[in-house]
Amino acid sequence: MPKDASGLLIPGVLAPPRPVRPDIARPEYVGKPAPASYAGTNIYSADEIEQIRHAGNISSRALDAIGDAIAPGMTTDEIDALAHEVVTSYGAYPSTLGYRGFPKSCCTSVNEVICHGIPDNTVLDEGDIVNVDITSYWHGFHGDMNRMFTVGQVSDVAQNLIDHTREALNRGIKAVAPGRQVNVIGRAIQSYAERLGYGVVRDFTGHGVGTHFHSGLIIPHYDSSPLYDDVMEPGMVFTIEPMLTLGTYEWSMWDDGWTVVTKDHALTAQFEHTVVVTERGADILTLTLPTL
Ligand code: MF3
Ligand code: CO
Ligand code: CO
């Protein structure tokens, strides 16, 4: 996705597939059109949670490396190369590669792209904002997260959108507690975001994650009560990944079947963590830790 004359993104050219060392274990869905269906638990043991935390640590370290490298002139494919290199260097598999046919090792969503942008020959320009979403699959468990990055100097409006989206995720995480329905998370996010005048995307949600990339448990980012009434329990693992916009929350999809853009082409931002419900609240499983 390079840009057209008015600065909007257009589809670009993809580089050939990146190989993964044969000793790295693949998720079951790789090479298949869709993952096996899952109706199992979202509750994990203490040992399993440490495996998910390990996967999340790898994803976070890959994003740290991208943050160090990002600069005007870099392409989104170069971001993908770095994501692929860091994730596989720790013996993990980049979960998006071959997920329902997604061709790359991360998602790169620039400016008006809400989510699921495909890395290609798009050149990042001064003033762009870009979300990078990385999931690592390690010893049978996925750790899913994303972050925003700024390219050179960005506008105050763009910086505020990013800061407020990060805070919206924090509000959602703070709403997590055992005994509450998962719809309290979206209520906290929506009330914060709409007070500041942002749109909150509804049709892309957080999700259960662990042995499966998307378990079937849905975590909305808006107030969906009385729907989505799953009750949180200690050991339950899911993502929270709000997408805020400067305009409408309506979206359209490119013909590539992946890239989701705001219908009005307004800027949008997202942050994502994988969390586990604890006795007291939530513990974030996608942080860079001192050891790995
Ligand atoms: N990591 C994304 C999420 O947060 C999912 C990406 S699926 C892909 O759920 F196929 F687009 F890569
Ligand atoms: Co996710
Ligand atoms: Co993600």
Side-chain angles (χ1 to χ4, degrees), residues 10 69 93 114 174 201 253 265 271:
I10 52 176
Y93 184 90
I114 294 172
K174 287 206 168 70
V201 174
M253 189 179 280
H265 300 126
F271 281 87

Side-chain angles (χ1 to χ4, degrees), residues 95-110:
S95 306
T96 60
L97 184 63
Y99 179 76
R100 298 183 183 274
F102 192 85
K104 293 289 163 186
S105 300
C106 63
C107 301
T108 52
S109 300
V110 179

Side-chain angles (χ1 to χ4, degrees), residues 62-82:
L63 287 174
D64 294 344
I66 288 160
D68 290 341
I70 209 157
M74 192 172 185
T75 66
T76 53
D77 186 64
E78 289 167 343
I79 292 176
D80 184 70
L82 194 47

Side-chain angles (χ1 to χ4, degrees), residues 27-30 32-38 98-101 142 212-215:
E28 58 79 23
Y29 53 74
V30 174
K32 304 200 309 189
S37 73
Y38 180 68
Y99 179 76
R100 298 183 183 274
H142 298 272
H212 292 67
F213 193 177
H214 297 98
S215 74

Side-chain angles (χ1 to χ4, degrees), residues 133 135 144-146 241 272:
D133 191 332
T135 307
D144 182 9
M145 73 177 303
N146 71 51
E241 46 183 300
E272 174 178 28

Side-chain angles (χ1 to χ4, degrees), residues 117-190:
I118 304 174
D120 63 13
N121 63 343
T122 298
V123 176
L124 296 174
D125 295 324
E126 176 99 16
D128 285 343
I129 64 172
V130 54
N131 179 279
V132 182
D133 191 332
I134 299 182
T135 307
S136 302
Y137 179 74
W138 191 80
H139 286 210
F141 297 91
H142 298 272
D144 182 9
M145 73 177 303
N146 71 51
R147 260 182 229 164
M148 295 302 298
F149 299 97
T150 53
V151 183
Q153 278 291 120
V154 304
S155 70
D156 288 349
V157 168
Q159 189 62 56
N160 287 337
L161 170 66
I162 291 172
D163 293 343
H164 294 143
T165 305
R166 189 190 300 103
E167 177 60 17
L169 171 58
N170 288 337
R171 301 272 174 129
I173 293 171
K174 287 206 168 70
V176 171
R180 294 185 182 169
Q181 297 181 359
V182 299
N183 57 35
V184 302
I185 296 166
R187 189 176 313 144
I189 290 168
Q190 184 180 21

